[in-house]
Every structure is written in C-alpha cells, then in structure tokens.
Amino acid sequence: MPAAADLVWPAEVTKPLAAQCHTLIAAVVGLGGAVGWLSPPPRAETDAWLAGMIADVAAGDGALCTAWQDGRLAAMGGWRRDEVGYLHHLAELVKIMVHPRARGRRLGRTVSEALLSHASGAGIEVVHLGVRGNNHLAIELYEDLGFTEWGRLPNVIEVGAERYDDVRMYRRLNQPAHLIFRGSSGRGPGYSPPQRRPV
C-alpha cells in the first residue's frame, strides 16, 4: 500500500509551493494532461495562476488542496466561486491533477473528495467542472463522486489539429430547505411566454 498523502490547504504563496506547483503542472502537461495548457508553461505563468488562486482563498472565494508525499507535491486541485452575483453559490473545480510518478495511489479521488467537503462547508450549493472527452478515467471518477453530465460541446477543445469534446458535469452539494426550484417553469422574475404555437 502506498504511503498516505498529507493534505495541506495553502493560505499564502511560498517559494517552495510555487516551485513545486510549477514542477507538477509541467510534468502533467508534458504527458498531455488537460489542465489548461497545451505545452509545459513557463514558471511565470504557473506563478500567476497560483497567486490568483491564493487571492481567491484569501477572499473566501476558493480553496487549494495540495497532497504531499515524501516532501513533494504529488497532487492538487482547487475550487473557485463564480464571480457573478446571482451565481455566487456556484463553484468550479479546477486544476485537479496528479503527478505521473504518483498515479495509481487514488490521489485524484482524495483531493476531489476533500474539495467537495470543503466547498460544502463554505456554503457552495452546486459544483461543476469540465473534462476533455477522451479522459474517460476522470469522467468515471467524477461519476463515482456523484457528478452528472449536463452537456458537452463536441470537438471544441483544440490540441494541434485534433479536436475533442468539452464535457461539462455538475454535482449538488447543499439544498437548503427554503429554496424553491423553478427550473424552466413559466414563473418568477424575467419570465416571458413562448411565441411559437404548437404544431
């Protein structure tokens, strides 16, 4: 059995954290991982992403979960609250990745479960994510964690001359008793009646 990972929730950017984040991202992207870059990014780009993530943490609008083994960053992921006011209860899971040398240790699941628990504790009602259509292992993991596919844009993710589906998934975390779920019903603010007549 592999050694358990230590989960750390950074609240500030440190030089070791920034260096380890860059190493992890470069390793994952170098093997074709779909985490937001088509080629291993320069250190300045990963530093900028990390700074933005920690800024969200400081504002209470996100969290970064890092998993460490033997003093190395083995996996990480985050959640970020939607910036739009009327979607403030919605958050996206972002940059969930495992270092190639640490695969097979269930770290992706460990980080994802920790993020879901953390987001729920922060009052997030719904989390969503995007995953490349050919990443079947990740899709299966998210389904196991209770996510449901709500749509996909076919062949829109560009990897050179190749195109892949953008699969969108969601999971409801909190459902306060006072909520009224209108869905697409003909009621509530902004309602407009349909103009097409039934055939």
Side-chain angles (χ1 to χ4, degrees), residues 61-100:
D61 291 331
L64 177 64
C65 180
T66 60
W68 298 78
Q69 289 185 323
D70 300 322
R72 295 179 177 179
L73 182 59
M76 71 176 178
W79 67 262
R80 299 182 111 154
R81 191 188 303 272
D82 198 291
E83 295 180 357
V84 179
Y86 56 82
L87 294 177
H88 209 52
H89 59 281
L90 184 70
E92 182 178 13
L93 294 191
V94 297
K95 300 288 188 289
I96 298 176
M97 66 186 85
V98 178
H99 196 287

PDB file of all heavy atoms in Angstrom, residues 61-100:
ATOM      1  N   ASP A  61     -13.326  32.949  -1.504  1.00  0.00           N
ATOM      2  CA  ASP A  61     -13.988  32.562  -2.747  1.00  0.00           C
ATOM      3  C   ASP A  61     -13.340  31.358  -3.417  1.00  0.00           C
ATOM      4  O   ASP A  61     -13.539  31.121  -4.618  1.00  0.00           O
ATOM      5  CB  ASP A  61     -13.989  33.743  -3.729  1.00  0.00           C
ATOM      6  CG  ASP A  61     -14.898  34.861  -3.274  1.00  0.00           C
ATOM      7  OD1 ASP A  61     -15.900  34.566  -2.586  1.00  0.00           O
ATOM      8  OD2 ASP A  61     -14.612  36.029  -3.585  1.00  0.00           O
ATOM      9  N   GLY A  62     -12.566  30.598  -2.658  1.00  0.00           N
ATOM     10  CA  GLY A  62     -11.948  29.424  -3.237  1.00  0.00           C
ATOM     11  C   GLY A  62     -11.088  28.704  -2.235  1.00  0.00           C
ATOM     12  O   GLY A  62     -10.951  29.129  -1.079  1.00  0.00           O
ATOM     13  N   ALA A  63     -10.511  27.596  -2.677  1.00  0.00           N
ATOM     14  CA  ALA A  63      -9.618  26.815  -1.838  1.00  0.00           C
ATOM     15  C   ALA A  63      -8.675  26.031  -2.737  1.00  0.00           C
ATOM     16  O   ALA A  63      -9.030  25.656  -3.861  1.00  0.00           O
ATOM     17  CB  ALA A  63     -10.395  25.870  -0.932  1.00  0.00           C
ATOM     18  N   LEU A  64      -7.476  25.807  -2.236  1.00  0.00           N
ATOM     19  CA  LEU A  64      -6.488  24.999  -2.936  1.00  0.00           C
ATOM     20  C   LEU A  64      -6.096  23.852  -2.025  1.00  0.00           C
ATOM     21  O   LEU A  64      -5.658  24.059  -0.894  1.00  0.00           O
ATOM     22  CB  LEU A  64      -5.249  25.836  -3.286  1.00  0.00           C
ATOM     23  CG  LEU A  64      -4.097  25.091  -3.977  1.00  0.00           C
ATOM     24  CD1 LEU A  64      -4.540  24.571  -5.352  1.00  0.00           C
ATOM     25  CD2 LEU A  64      -2.880  26.001  -4.116  1.00  0.00           C
ATOM     26  N   CYS A  65      -6.288  22.634  -2.502  1.00  0.00           N
ATOM     27  CA  CYS A  65      -5.921  21.439  -1.749  1.00  0.00           C
ATOM     28  C   CYS A  65      -4.677  20.835  -2.379  1.00  0.00           C
ATOM     29  O   CYS A  65      -4.653  20.551  -3.580  1.00  0.00           O
ATOM     30  CB  CYS A  65      -7.063  20.426  -1.767  1.00  0.00           C
ATOM     31  SG  CYS A  65      -6.704  18.904  -0.863  1.00  0.00           S
ATOM     32  N   THR A  66      -3.628  20.656  -1.582  1.00  0.00           N
ATOM     33  CA  THR A  66      -2.391  20.060  -2.081  1.00  0.00           C
ATOM     34  C   THR A  66      -2.111  18.778  -1.310  1.00  0.00           C
ATOM     35  O   THR A  66      -2.322  18.697  -0.100  1.00  0.00           O
ATOM     36  CB  THR A  66      -1.200  21.033  -1.928  1.00  0.00           C
ATOM     37  OG1 THR A  66      -1.018  21.366  -0.544  1.00  0.00           O
ATOM     38  CG2 THR A  66      -1.451  22.314  -2.717  1.00  0.00           C
ATOM     39  N   ALA A  67      -1.650  17.760  -2.020  1.00  0.00           N
ATOM     40  CA  ALA A  67      -1.332  16.462  -1.415  1.00  0.00           C
ATOM     41  C   ALA A  67       0.165  16.224  -1.544  1.00  0.00           C
ATOM     42  O   ALA A  67       0.718  16.261  -2.658  1.00  0.00           O
ATOM     43  CB  ALA A  67      -2.108  15.349  -2.116  1.00  0.00           C
ATOM     44  N   TRP A  68       0.813  15.990  -0.417  1.00  0.00           N
ATOM     45  CA  TRP A  68       2.270  15.857  -0.375  1.00  0.00           C
ATOM     46  C   TRP A  68       2.673  14.450   0.048  1.00  0.00           C
ATOM     47  O   TRP A  68       2.068  13.867   0.964  1.00  0.00           O
ATOM     48  CB  TRP A  68       2.854  16.864   0.609  1.00  0.00           C
ATOM     49  CG  TRP A  68       2.584  18.290   0.224  1.00  0.00           C
ATOM     50  CD1 TRP A  68       1.410  18.970   0.391  1.00  0.00           C
ATOM     51  CD2 TRP A  68       3.482  19.197  -0.405  1.00  0.00           C
ATOM     52  NE1 TRP A  68       1.523  20.254  -0.098  1.00  0.00           N
ATOM     53  CE2 TRP A  68       2.802  20.424  -0.589  1.00  0.00           C
ATOM     54  CE3 TRP A  68       4.821  19.098  -0.817  1.00  0.00           C
ATOM     55  CZ2 TRP A  68       3.388  21.530  -1.165  1.00  0.00           C
ATOM     56  CZ3 TRP A  68       5.409  20.200  -1.398  1.00  0.00           C
ATOM     57  CH2 TRP A  68       4.704  21.406  -1.577  1.00  0.00           C
ATOM     58  N   GLN A  69       3.688  13.927  -0.611  1.00  0.00           N
ATOM     59  CA  GLN A  69       4.287  12.651  -0.242  1.00  0.00           C
ATOM     60  C   GLN A  69       5.801  12.775  -0.315  1.00  0.00           C
ATOM     61  O   GLN A  69       6.335  13.250  -1.333  1.00  0.00           O
ATOM     62  CB  GLN A  69       3.802  11.522  -1.157  1.00  0.00           C
ATOM     63  CG  GLN A  69       2.342  11.128  -0.935  1.00  0.00           C
ATOM     64  CD  GLN A  69       1.922   9.944  -1.768  1.00  0.00           C
ATOM     65  OE1 GLN A  69       2.340   9.788  -2.905  1.00  0.00           O
ATOM     66  NE2 GLN A  69       1.073   9.084  -1.201  1.00  0.00           N
ATOM     67  N   ASP A  70       6.471  12.384   0.740  1.00  0.00           N
ATOM     68  CA  ASP A  70       7.931  12.431   0.790  1.00  0.00           C
ATOM     69  C   ASP A  70       8.469  13.827   0.459  1.00  0.00           C
ATOM     70  O   ASP A  70       9.488  13.961  -0.227  1.00  0.00           O
ATOM     71  CB  ASP A  70       8.545  11.402  -0.174  1.00  0.00           C
ATOM     72  CG  ASP A  70       8.117   9.985   0.168  1.00  0.00           C
ATOM     73  OD1 ASP A  70       8.017   9.668   1.373  1.00  0.00           O
ATOM     74  OD2 ASP A  70       7.868   9.201  -0.766  1.00  0.00           O
ATOM     75  N   GLY A  71       7.768  14.853   0.924  1.00  0.00           N
ATOM     76  CA  GLY A  71       8.221  16.218   0.735  1.00  0.00           C
ATOM     77  C   GLY A  71       7.992  16.784  -0.653  1.00  0.00           C
ATOM     78  O   GLY A  71       8.468  17.876  -0.962  1.00  0.00           O
ATOM     79  N   ARG A  72       7.268  16.060  -1.484  1.00  0.00           N
ATOM     80  CA  ARG A  72       6.999  16.516  -2.851  1.00  0.00           C
ATOM     81  C   ARG A  72       5.496  16.684  -3.052  1.00  0.00           C
ATOM     82  O   ARG A  72       4.694  15.925  -2.508  1.00  0.00           O
ATOM     83  CB  ARG A  72       7.533  15.516  -3.870  1.00  0.00           C
ATOM     84  CG  ARG A  72       9.046  15.366  -3.879  1.00  0.00           C
ATOM     85  CD  ARG A  72       9.456  14.330  -4.912  1.00  0.00           C
ATOM     86  NE  ARG A  72      10.904  14.195  -5.006  1.00  0.00           N
ATOM     87  CZ  ARG A  72      11.525  13.346  -5.816  1.00  0.00           C
ATOM     88  NH1 ARG A  72      10.802  12.539  -6.588  1.00  0.00           N
ATOM     89  NH2 ARG A  72      12.844  13.279  -5.837  1.00  0.00           N
ATOM     90  N   LEU A  73       5.151  17.662  -3.890  1.00  0.00           N
ATOM     91  CA  LEU A  73       3.754  17.878  -4.236  1.00  0.00           C
ATOM     92  C   LEU A  73       3.335  16.795  -5.224  1.00  0.00           C
ATOM     93  O   LEU A  73       3.803  16.766  -6.360  1.00  0.00           O
ATOM     94  CB  LEU A  73       3.571  19.272  -4.849  1.00  0.00           C
ATOM     95  CG  LEU A  73       2.142  19.666  -5.226  1.00  0.00           C
ATOM     96  CD1 LEU A  73       1.223  19.618  -4.014  1.00  0.00           C
ATOM     97  CD2 LEU A  73       2.115  21.048  -5.855  1.00  0.00           C
ATOM     98  N   ALA A  74       2.460  15.898  -4.780  1.00  0.00           N
ATOM     99  CA  ALA A  74       2.064  14.760  -5.601  1.00  0.00           C
ATOM    100  C   ALA A  74       0.759  15.003  -6.352  1.00  0.00           C
ATOM    101  O   ALA A  74       0.523  14.397  -7.401  1.00  0.00           O
ATOM    102  CB  ALA A  74       1.933  13.516  -4.729  1.00  0.00           C
ATOM    103  N   ALA A  75      -0.104  15.856  -5.817  1.00  0.00           N
ATOM    104  CA  ALA A  75      -1.397  16.123  -6.451  1.00  0.00           C
ATOM    105  C   ALA A  75      -1.952  17.421  -5.902  1.00  0.00           C
ATOM    106  O   ALA A  75      -1.566  17.872  -4.823  1.00  0.00           O
ATOM    107  CB  ALA A  75      -2.371  14.983  -6.190  1.00  0.00           C
ATOM    108  N   MET A  76      -2.879  18.013  -6.662  1.00  0.00           N
ATOM    109  CA  MET A  76      -3.544  19.216  -6.172  1.00  0.00           C
ATOM    110  C   MET A  76      -4.807  19.476  -6.973  1.00  0.00           C
ATOM    111  O   MET A  76      -5.067  18.847  -8.007  1.00  0.00           O
ATOM    112  CB  MET A  76      -2.626  20.440  -6.261  1.00  0.00           C
ATOM    113  CG  MET A  76      -2.349  20.944  -7.647  1.00  0.00           C
ATOM    114  SD  MET A  76      -1.357  22.474  -7.588  1.00  0.00           S
ATOM    115  CE  MET A  76      -1.140  22.779  -9.354  1.00  0.00           C
ATOM    116  N   GLY A  77      -5.591  20.394  -6.472  1.00  0.00           N
ATOM    117  CA  GLY A  77      -6.800  20.824  -7.147  1.00  0.00           C
ATOM    118  C   GLY A  77      -7.414  21.961  -6.352  1.00  0.00           C
ATOM    119  O   GLY A  77      -7.029  22.207  -5.204  1.00  0.00           O
ATOM    120  N   GLY A  78      -8.360  22.649  -6.953  1.00  0.00           N
ATOM    121  CA  GLY A  78      -8.984  23.765  -6.263  1.00  0.00           C
ATOM    122  C   GLY A  78     -10.444  23.918  -6.611  1.00  0.00           C
ATOM    123  O   GLY A  78     -10.956  23.246  -7.504  1.00  0.00           O
ATOM    124  N   TRP A  79     -11.110  24.773  -5.858  1.00  0.00           N
ATOM    125  CA  TRP A  79     -12.440  25.214  -6.250  1.00  0.00           C
ATOM    126  C   TRP A  79     -12.470  26.734  -6.209  1.00  0.00           C
ATOM    127  O   TRP A  79     -11.783  27.346  -5.405  1.00  0.00           O
ATOM    128  CB  TRP A  79     -13.553  24.613  -5.384  1.00  0.00           C
ATOM    129  CG  TRP A  79     -13.638  25.018  -3.946  1.00  0.00           C
ATOM    130  CD1 TRP A  79     -13.161  24.323  -2.876  1.00  0.00           C
ATOM    131  CD2 TRP A  79     -14.282  26.196  -3.405  1.00  0.00           C
ATOM    132  NE1 TRP A  79     -13.447  24.979  -1.706  1.00  0.00           N
ATOM    133  CE2 TRP A  79     -14.141  26.131  -1.994  1.00  0.00           C
ATOM    134  CE3 TRP A  79     -14.951  27.276  -3.965  1.00  0.00           C
ATOM    135  CZ2 TRP A  79     -14.651  27.115  -1.141  1.00  0.00           C
ATOM    136  CZ3 TRP A  79     -15.456  28.266  -3.119  1.00  0.00           C
ATOM    137  CH2 TRP A  79     -15.308  28.174  -1.742  1.00  0.00           C
ATOM    138  N   ARG A  80     -13.255  27.312  -7.125  1.00  0.00           N
ATOM    139  CA  ARG A  80     -13.372  28.769  -7.207  1.00  0.00           C
ATOM    140  C   ARG A  80     -14.837  29.146  -7.345  1.00  0.00           C
ATOM    141  O   ARG A  80     -15.558  28.600  -8.179  1.00  0.00           O
ATOM    142  CB  ARG A  80     -12.589  29.326  -8.410  1.00  0.00           C
ATOM    143  CG  ARG A  80     -11.106  29.048  -8.362  1.00  0.00           C
ATOM    144  CD  ARG A  80     -10.387  29.667  -9.542  1.00  0.00           C
ATOM    145  NE  ARG A  80      -9.555  30.771  -9.103  1.00  0.00           N
ATOM    146  CZ  ARG A  80      -8.465  31.176  -9.756  1.00  0.00           C
ATOM    147  NH1 ARG A  80      -8.094  30.569 -10.867  1.00  0.00           N
ATOM    148  NH2 ARG A  80      -7.759  32.180  -9.297  1.00  0.00           N
ATOM    149  N   ARG A  81     -15.234  30.099  -6.526  1.00  0.00           N
ATOM    150  CA  ARG A  81     -16.618  30.581  -6.561  1.00  0.00           C
ATOM    151  C   ARG A  81     -16.848  31.401  -7.828  1.00  0.00           C
ATOM    152  O   ARG A  81     -15.971  32.123  -8.297  1.00  0.00           O
ATOM    153  CB  ARG A  81     -16.880  31.449  -5.336  1.00  0.00           C
ATOM    154  CG  ARG A  81     -18.332  31.799  -5.112  1.00  0.00           C
ATOM    155  CD  ARG A  81     -18.482  32.809  -3.989  1.00  0.00           C
ATOM    156  NE  ARG A  81     -17.916  32.365  -2.728  1.00  0.00           N
ATOM    157  CZ  ARG A  81     -18.568  31.651  -1.815  1.00  0.00           C
ATOM    158  NH1 ARG A  81     -19.817  31.293  -2.046  1.00  0.00           N
ATOM    159  NH2 ARG A  81     -17.979  31.318  -0.680  1.00  0.00           N
ATOM    160  N   ASP A  82     -18.056  31.299  -8.379  1.00  0.00           N
ATOM    161  CA  ASP A  82     -18.404  32.096  -9.546  1.00  0.00           C
ATOM    162  C   ASP A  82     -18.439  33.568  -9.170  1.00  0.00           C
ATOM    163  O   ASP A  82     -18.926  33.933  -8.095  1.00  0.00           O
ATOM    164  CB  ASP A  82     -19.762  31.660 -10.104  1.00  0.00           C
ATOM    165  CG  ASP A  82     -19.972  32.128 -11.534  1.00  0.00           C
ATOM    166  OD1 ASP A  82     -20.120  33.350 -11.754  1.00  0.00           O
ATOM    167  OD2 ASP A  82     -19.981  31.271 -12.435  1.00  0.00           O
ATOM    168  N   GLU A  83     -17.916  34.428 -10.034  1.00  0.00           N
ATOM    169  CA  GLU A  83     -17.826  35.861  -9.741  1.00  0.00           C
ATOM    170  C   GLU A  83     -19.149  36.586  -9.912  1.00  0.00           C
ATOM    171  O   GLU A  83     -19.349  37.661  -9.348  1.00  0.00           O
ATOM    172  CB  GLU A  83     -16.767  36.503 -10.634  1.00  0.00           C
ATOM    173  CG  GLU A  83     -15.350  36.007 -10.377  1.00  0.00           C
ATOM    174  CD  GLU A  83     -14.333  36.665 -11.288  1.00  0.00           C
ATOM    175  OE1 GLU A  83     -14.751  37.459 -12.161  1.00  0.00           O
ATOM    176  OE2 GLU A  83     -13.139  36.383 -11.131  1.00  0.00           O
ATOM    177  N   VAL A  84     -20.065  36.033 -10.703  1.00  0.00           N
ATOM    178  CA  VAL A  84     -21.347  36.691 -10.954  1.00  0.00           C
ATOM    179  C   VAL A  84     -22.212  36.610  -9.700  1.00  0.00           C
ATOM    180  O   VAL A  84     -22.356  35.533  -9.106  1.00  0.00           O
ATOM    181  CB  VAL A  84     -22.067  36.031 -12.142  1.00  0.00           C
ATOM    182  CG1 VAL A  84     -23.427  36.696 -12.384  1.00  0.00           C
ATOM    183  CG2 VAL A  84     -21.197  36.130 -13.398  1.00  0.00           C
ATOM    184  N   GLY A  85     -22.773  37.734  -9.293  1.00  0.00           N
ATOM    185  CA  GLY A  85     -23.508  37.811  -8.037  1.00  0.00           C
ATOM    186  C   GLY A  85     -24.596  36.772  -7.872  1.00  0.00           C
ATOM    187  O   GLY A  85     -24.708  36.124  -6.828  1.00  0.00           O
ATOM    188  N   TYR A  86     -25.430  36.587  -8.896  1.00  0.00           N
ATOM    189  CA  TYR A  86     -26.548  35.660  -8.752  1.00  0.00           C
ATOM    190  C   TYR A  86     -26.128  34.202  -8.924  1.00  0.00           C
ATOM    191  O   TYR A  86     -26.955  33.285  -8.833  1.00  0.00           O
ATOM    192  CB  TYR A  86     -27.689  36.004  -9.727  1.00  0.00           C
ATOM    193  CG  TYR A  86     -27.291  36.050 -11.193  1.00  0.00           C
ATOM    194  CD1 TYR A  86     -27.208  34.890 -11.946  1.00  0.00           C
ATOM    195  CD2 TYR A  86     -27.021  37.259 -11.812  1.00  0.00           C
ATOM    196  CE1 TYR A  86     -26.869  34.924 -13.284  1.00  0.00           C
ATOM    197  CE2 TYR A  86     -26.673  37.321 -13.145  1.00  0.00           C
ATOM    198  CZ  TYR A  86     -26.597  36.142 -13.881  1.00  0.00           C
ATOM    199  OH  TYR A  86     -26.241  36.189 -15.198  1.00  0.00           O
ATOM    200  N   LEU A  87     -24.821  33.969  -9.164  1.00  0.00           N
ATOM    201  CA  LEU A  87     -24.286  32.610  -9.209  1.00  0.00           C
ATOM    202  C   LEU A  87     -23.229  32.398  -8.126  1.00  0.00           C
ATOM    203  O   LEU A  87     -22.396  31.507  -8.217  1.00  0.00           O
ATOM    204  CB  LEU A  87     -23.665  32.326 -10.592  1.00  0.00           C
ATOM    205  CG  LEU A  87     -24.637  32.296 -11.774  1.00  0.00           C
ATOM    206  CD1 LEU A  87     -23.867  32.081 -13.077  1.00  0.00           C
ATOM    207  CD2 LEU A  87     -25.686  31.206 -11.599  1.00  0.00           C
ATOM    208  N   HIS A  88     -23.303  33.209  -7.079  1.00  0.00           N
ATOM    209  CA  HIS A  88     -22.272  33.180  -6.041  1.00  0.00           C
ATOM    210  C   HIS A  88     -22.287  31.876  -5.235  1.00  0.00           C
ATOM    211  O   HIS A  88     -21.329  31.562  -4.538  1.00  0.00           O
ATOM    212  CB  HIS A  88     -22.463  34.378  -5.094  1.00  0.00           C
ATOM    213  CG  HIS A  88     -21.194  34.855  -4.478  1.00  0.00           C
ATOM    214  ND1 HIS A  88     -20.067  35.172  -5.215  1.00  0.00           N
ATOM    215  CD2 HIS A  88     -20.843  35.064  -3.177  1.00  0.00           C
ATOM    216  CE1 HIS A  88     -19.101  35.559  -4.405  1.00  0.00           C
ATOM    217  NE2 HIS A  88     -19.532  35.496  -3.165  1.00  0.00           N
ATOM    218  N   HIS A  89     -23.369  31.146  -5.343  1.00  0.00           N
ATOM    219  CA  HIS A  89     -23.478  29.854  -4.650  1.00  0.00           C
ATOM    220  C   HIS A  89     -22.913  28.709  -5.488  1.00  0.00           C
ATOM    221  O   HIS A  89     -22.954  27.553  -5.080  1.00  0.00           O
ATOM    222  CB  HIS A  89     -24.953  29.566  -4.345  1.00  0.00           C
ATOM    223  CG  HIS A  89     -25.792  29.514  -5.595  1.00  0.00           C
ATOM    224  ND1 HIS A  89     -26.224  30.640  -6.247  1.00  0.00           N
ATOM    225  CD2 HIS A  89     -26.250  28.464  -6.307  1.00  0.00           C
ATOM    226  CE1 HIS A  89     -26.915  30.292  -7.328  1.00  0.00           C
ATOM    227  NE2 HIS A  89     -26.953  28.975  -7.383  1.00  0.00           N
ATOM    228  N   LEU A  90     -22.385  29.044  -6.674  1.00  0.00           N
ATOM    229  CA  LEU A  90     -21.868  28.060  -7.628  1.00  0.00           C
ATOM    230  C   LEU A  90     -20.349  28.121  -7.632  1.00  0.00           C
ATOM    231  O   LEU A  90     -19.758  29.195  -7.527  1.00  0.00           O
ATOM    232  CB  LEU A  90     -22.412  28.392  -9.024  1.00  0.00           C
ATOM    233  CG  LEU A  90     -22.102  27.453 -10.178  1.00  0.00           C
ATOM    234  CD1 LEU A  90     -22.832  26.136 -10.024  1.00  0.00           C
ATOM    235  CD2 LEU A  90     -22.508  28.127 -11.502  1.00  0.00           C
ATOM    236  N   ALA A  91     -19.699  26.963  -7.733  1.00  0.00           N
ATOM    237  CA  ALA A  91     -18.238  26.934  -7.775  1.00  0.00           C
ATOM    238  C   ALA A  91     -17.768  25.911  -8.798  1.00  0.00           C
ATOM    239  O   ALA A  91     -18.447  24.911  -9.062  1.00  0.00           O
ATOM    240  CB  ALA A  91     -17.654  26.606  -6.411  1.00  0.00           C
ATOM    241  N   GLU A  92     -16.588  26.164  -9.345  1.00  0.00           N
ATOM    242  CA  GLU A  92     -15.989  25.245 -10.313  1.00  0.00           C
ATOM    243  C   GLU A  92     -14.790  24.549  -9.688  1.00  0.00           C
ATOM    244  O   GLU A  92     -13.962  25.177  -9.022  1.00  0.00           O
ATOM    245  CB  GLU A  92     -15.540  26.007 -11.561  1.00  0.00           C
ATOM    246  CG  GLU A  92     -14.951  25.110 -12.633  1.00  0.00           C
ATOM    247  CD  GLU A  92     -14.553  25.851 -13.893  1.00  0.00           C
ATOM    248  OE1 GLU A  92     -14.494  27.097 -13.863  1.00  0.00           O
ATOM    249  OE2 GLU A  92     -14.303  25.178 -14.912  1.00  0.00           O
ATOM    250  N   LEU A  93     -14.696  23.246  -9.895  1.00  0.00           N
ATOM    251  CA  LEU A  93     -13.488  22.519  -9.529  1.00  0.00           C
ATOM    252  C   LEU A  93     -12.464  22.743 -10.631  1.00  0.00           C
ATOM    253  O   LEU A  93     -12.776  22.601 -11.821  1.00  0.00           O
ATOM    254  CB  LEU A  93     -13.756  21.024  -9.372  1.00  0.00           C
ATOM    255  CG  LEU A  93     -14.669  20.580  -8.227  1.00  0.00           C
ATOM    256  CD1 LEU A  93     -14.587  19.062  -8.063  1.00  0.00           C
ATOM    257  CD2 LEU A  93     -14.324  21.257  -6.915  1.00  0.00           C
ATOM    258  N   VAL A  94     -11.229  23.090 -10.247  1.00  0.00           N
ATOM    259  CA  VAL A  94     -10.220  23.459 -11.239  1.00  0.00           C
ATOM    260  C   VAL A  94      -8.888  22.764 -10.961  1.00  0.00           C
ATOM    261  O   VAL A  94      -8.570  22.453  -9.815  1.00  0.00           O
ATOM    262  CB  VAL A  94      -9.994  24.991 -11.264  1.00  0.00           C
ATOM    263  CG1 VAL A  94     -11.259  25.721 -11.684  1.00  0.00           C
ATOM    264  CG2 VAL A  94      -9.519  25.505  -9.908  1.00  0.00           C
ATOM    265  N   LYS A  95      -8.145  22.551 -12.020  1.00  0.00           N
ATOM    266  CA  LYS A  95      -6.754  22.088 -11.970  1.00  0.00           C
ATOM    267  C   LYS A  95      -6.543  20.861 -11.070  1.00  0.00           C
ATOM    268  O   LYS A  95      -5.571  20.774 -10.323  1.00  0.00           O
ATOM    269  CB  LYS A  95      -5.844  23.230 -11.503  1.00  0.00           C
ATOM    270  CG  LYS A  95      -5.856  24.460 -12.410  1.00  0.00           C
ATOM    271  CD  LYS A  95      -5.123  24.189 -13.712  1.00  0.00           C
ATOM    272  CE  LYS A  95      -4.952  25.457 -14.532  1.00  0.00           C
ATOM    273  NZ  LYS A  95      -6.189  25.966 -15.127  1.00  0.00           N
ATOM    274  N   ILE A  96      -7.431  19.893 -11.171  1.00  0.00           N
ATOM    275  CA  ILE A  96      -7.232  18.658 -10.421  1.00  0.00           C
ATOM    276  C   ILE A  96      -6.239  17.800 -11.193  1.00  0.00           C
ATOM    277  O   ILE A  96      -6.500  17.413 -12.333  1.00  0.00           O
ATOM    278  CB  ILE A  96      -8.556  17.925 -10.194  1.00  0.00           C
ATOM    279  CG1 ILE A  96      -9.501  18.803  -9.358  1.00  0.00           C
ATOM    280  CG2 ILE A  96      -8.318  16.574  -9.512  1.00  0.00           C
ATOM    281  CD1 ILE A  96     -10.870  18.222  -9.151  1.00  0.00           C
ATOM    282  N   MET A  97      -5.101  17.518 -10.568  1.00  0.00           N
ATOM    283  CA  MET A  97      -4.042  16.788 -11.282  1.00  0.00           C
ATOM    284  C   MET A  97      -3.200  15.989 -10.303  1.00  0.00           C
ATOM    285  O   MET A  97      -3.095  16.327  -9.128  1.00  0.00           O
ATOM    286  CB  MET A  97      -3.180  17.750 -12.081  1.00  0.00           C
ATOM    287  CG  MET A  97      -2.376  18.726 -11.241  1.00  0.00           C
ATOM    288  SD  MET A  97      -1.502  19.959 -12.253  1.00  0.00           S
ATOM    289  CE  MET A  97      -2.811  21.177 -12.464  1.00  0.00           C
ATOM    290  N   VAL A  98      -2.605  14.928 -10.847  1.00  0.00           N
ATOM    291  CA  VAL A  98      -1.727  14.045 -10.079  1.00  0.00           C
ATOM    292  C   VAL A  98      -0.421  13.904 -10.844  1.00  0.00           C
ATOM    293  O   VAL A  98      -0.420  13.718 -12.065  1.00  0.00           O
ATOM    294  CB  VAL A  98      -2.367  12.661  -9.878  1.00  0.00           C
ATOM    295  CG1 VAL A  98      -1.428  11.722  -9.122  1.00  0.00           C
ATOM    296  CG2 VAL A  98      -3.703  12.788  -9.148  1.00  0.00           C
ATOM    297  N   HIS A  99       0.689  14.005 -10.138  1.00  0.00           N
ATOM    298  CA  HIS A  99       1.990  13.852 -10.784  1.00  0.00           C
ATOM    299  C   HIS A  99       2.086  12.455 -11.380  1.00  0.00           C
ATOM    300  O   HIS A  99       1.653  11.476 -10.760  1.00  0.00           O
ATOM    301  CB  HIS A  99       3.124  14.073  -9.779  1.00  0.00           C
ATOM    302  CG  HIS A  99       4.453  14.305 -10.420  1.00  0.00           C
ATOM    303  ND1 HIS A  99       5.172  13.297 -11.020  1.00  0.00           N
ATOM    304  CD2 HIS A  99       5.188  15.442 -10.563  1.00  0.00           C
ATOM    305  CE1 HIS A  99       6.302  13.784 -11.503  1.00  0.00           C
ATOM    306  NE2 HIS A  99       6.327  15.094 -11.249  1.00  0.00           N
ATOM    307  N   PRO A 100       2.650  12.327 -12.582  1.00  0.00           N
ATOM    308  CA  PRO A 100       2.757  10.998 -13.217  1.00  0.00           C
ATOM    309  C   PRO A 100       3.383   9.934 -12.325  1.00  0.00           C
ATOM    310  O   PRO A 100       2.970   8.770 -12.354  1.00  0.00           O
ATOM    311  CB  PRO A 100       3.628  11.279 -14.450  1.00  0.00           C
ATOM    312  CG  PRO A 100       3.337  12.701 -14.790  1.00  0.00           C
ATOM    313  CD  PRO A 100       3.143  13.396 -13.465  1.00  0.00           C
TER     314      PRO A 100
END
